[in-house]
Amino acid sequence: MNGVIIQFFHWYHPGNLWNEFIEKAEYVKDLGFTAAWFPPAVKCELGTEGRGYDVYDLYDLGEFDQKGTVATRYGTKQEYLDAVKKAHDCGLHVYADVVLNHRMGADETEKVTVQQVNEEDRTEFIGEPFEAESWTKFTYPERAGKYSEFIWDHQCFSGIDFVKKDNEDQKGIFKIFNESGTSWNDAVSHQLGNYDYLMGADVEFRNPHVVQELKKWIKWYIDTTKVDGLRLDALKHISSDFLKEFIEFIREKIDDDFFCVGEFWKDKVDKISGFSEKMNHILSSFDVPLHYKFFQASTEGNNFDLSKILEGSFLAQNPVSSVSFAGNHDTQKLQALESTVEDWFRPIAYTIILLSEKGYPCVFYPDLFGAEYTDKNGHGEVVRITMPKIEVLPKLLEARLKFAYGEQINYFDHPNCIAWIRTGNEANPGCVVIISNSEEGYKEINLGKENAGKIFIDFLELRKDEVVLDEHGKGVFYVNPGSASVWVKSELS
């Protein structure tokens, strides 16, 4: 089956998402999607303004009156459960976004011993340890112990970014001293010396009580929601030892076929491959290097060598574990990792990830439905952003569903025009895919004598001409400037 994920949200989505998905689920399924990635469903520090990543209470899916609201930004718990059920009724899997790294919006302060670290090198301590007040106690008074009576306190956290000393607020990164020690967890990315700390109250995965509580929670979550997989957030900052134990627990105790994909945000493939190996390849990883290749290609235009588009990608190195994407909520304009692929190249990027033989492609919500939003840029100016939907995307999804089968034979032999054949299989015909990032391009391709005389047309309807194969099964296939075409036998279109 040609599986494909839709990331059914973006950073600036206005809300009421669960109900919107229920309305659009049939359409999503009909386009050929097999799974939907939902944003975090948990209650946030910022209430309905939170996007799901400022985690307050993992057990509150829009059920309790906490942080000024019952519902989350995306809806109530019942609406979330209804959305998952609707997906299943349509034959779609659901992948839940899970943020394990931190908590925000504590209910009480505690007296703790901390020591500040250099933000550019977290292994370098600044000054002496000191006693301070920190927001590290989470009691969830409104939930009142329902589902779990676990209280999070400073023993559950490794670091914090805000403390109060002698009634004065201090901001920075502070290592919390507790029973787990006075140093950071070493089983994380060594970016900035040690990347254990990201934001908020950083969870201490060396605390066995924390590990036990998170296992209890994930069992409750999966049993309650019936989701089919997880997208795991911010894995550069989470102990790989804990992650292995966590995923193995899910597979052994809950569902041995449970899908997990991790966000390990590195632009170099050796870093992602190293992480995947350390994790014994028990989860998939987003192909960040390929995304950056798409971004680079879109900005360089015809100066980019298309024949090298897949070089250095996780798709090329470990296709079985690769989830490929053109963009997501972190890369859209005005976000921290802004690297939005330019509009002209986005159809080409999707042609590559949707019609290639390997990898598990993920489509970003605005690319299918469009998006408009406003936010402040780095200069404090309010900017309005429009992300137009990709008009050809439904046809590309249909082409994946109907034609993207069988072996892939590449014609990556020109810097501005590449092509590949999908040979098809017994049940499904193949296709010829051709891409240009410059002027009109073409490729002479031999499809074998068995196809002699066959007529091919562009399934995307961007070319109006036909290709008639000669007596040897050869034909010249064209593509428009800065475009893509998918050539299929005319009787199959």
Side-chain angles (χ1 to χ4, degrees), residues 21 25 29 50 145 192 261 300 342 346 436 442 456:
F21 177 81
K29 172 62 177 177
L192 300 179
V261 57
E300 292 184 3
E342 293 188 6
R346 286 193 295 154
S436 169
Y442 66 91
F456 281 70

Coordinates of all heavy atoms in Angstrom, one line a residue, residues 21 25 29 50 145 192 261 300 342 346 436 442 456:
F21 N -11.6 18.3 11.2 CA -11.2 17.0 10.7 C -12.4 16.1 10.4 O -12.4 15.4 9.4 CB -10.2 16.3 11.6 CG -9.8 15.0 11.1 CD1 -8.8 14.9 10.1 CD2 -10.4 13.8 11.6 CE1 -8.4 13.6 9.6 CE2 -10.0 12.6 11.1 CZ -9.0 12.5 10.1
A25 N -12.7 14.4 6.9 CA -12.0 13.1 6.9 C -12.3 12.3 5.6 O -11.4 11.6 5.1 CB -12.5 12.3 8.1
K29 N -9.5 10.9 3.1 CA -9.3 9.5 2.7 C -9.4 9.3 1.2 O -8.6 8.5 0.6 CB -10.4 8.7 3.4 CG -10.5 7.2 2.9 CD -9.2 6.4 3.2 CE -9.4 5.0 2.8 NZ -8.1 4.2 3.1
G50 N -2.5 28.0 23.5 CA -1.4 27.1 23.4 C -1.5 26.2 22.2 O -2.7 25.9 21.8
G145 N -6.6 14.4 41.0 CA -6.2 13.0 41.1 C -6.8 12.1 40.2 O -6.5 10.9 40.2
L192 N 25.5 22.5 21.6 CA 25.7 23.5 22.7 C 26.3 22.8 23.9 O 25.9 23.1 25.0 CB 24.4 24.2 23.0 CG 23.7 25.0 21.9 CD1 22.4 25.6 22.3 CD2 24.7 26.1 21.4
V261 N 7.3 7.9 15.0 CA 8.3 8.7 14.2 C 8.8 9.8 15.1 O 8.0 10.4 15.9 CB 7.6 9.3 12.9 CG1 6.4 10.1 13.2 CG2 8.6 10.1 12.1
E300 N 17.7 28.6 -5.0 CA 18.8 28.7 -6.0 C 18.3 28.6 -7.4 O 19.1 28.9 -8.4 CB 19.9 27.6 -5.8 CG 20.6 27.8 -4.5 CD 21.7 26.8 -4.3 OE1 21.9 26.0 -5.2 OE2 22.4 26.8 -3.2
E342 N 10.0 27.7 -1.5 CA 9.3 28.7 -2.3 C 8.2 28.0 -3.1 O 8.3 26.9 -3.5 CB 10.3 29.4 -3.2 CG 11.2 30.3 -2.3 CD 12.1 31.2 -3.2 OE1 11.9 31.3 -4.4 OE2 13.0 31.8 -2.6
R346 N 7.4 24.0 -4.6 CA 6.7 23.0 -3.7 C 6.0 21.9 -4.5 O 6.1 20.7 -4.1 CB 5.6 23.8 -2.9 CG 6.3 24.6 -1.8 CD 5.2 25.1 -0.8 NE 4.3 26.0 -1.3 CZ 3.1 26.2 -0.9 NH1 2.6 25.5 0.1 NH2 2.3 27.1 -1.5
S436 N 11.8 19.7 -14.2 CA 12.8 20.7 -14.6 C 12.8 21.8 -13.6 O 11.7 22.2 -13.1 CB 12.4 21.2 -16.0 OG 13.2 22.4 -16.3
Y442 N 13.4 17.7 -21.4 CA 13.0 16.4 -22.0 C 13.9 15.3 -21.7 O 15.1 15.5 -21.4 CB 12.8 16.6 -23.5 CG 14.1 16.8 -24.3 CD1 14.8 15.7 -24.8 CD2 14.6 18.1 -24.4 CE1 16.0 16.0 -25.4 CE2 15.8 18.3 -25.1 CZ 16.5 17.3 -25.6 OH 17.7 17.4 -26.2
F456 N 1.2 8.0 -24.5 CA 1.3 8.5 -23.1 C 0.8 10.0 -23.0 O 1.1 10.8 -23.9 CB 2.7 8.4 -22.6 CG 3.1 7.1 -22.1 CD1 3.3 6.1 -23.1 CD2 3.3 6.8 -20.8 CE1 3.7 4.8 -22.7 CE2 3.7 5.5 -20.4 CZ 3.9 4.5 -21.3

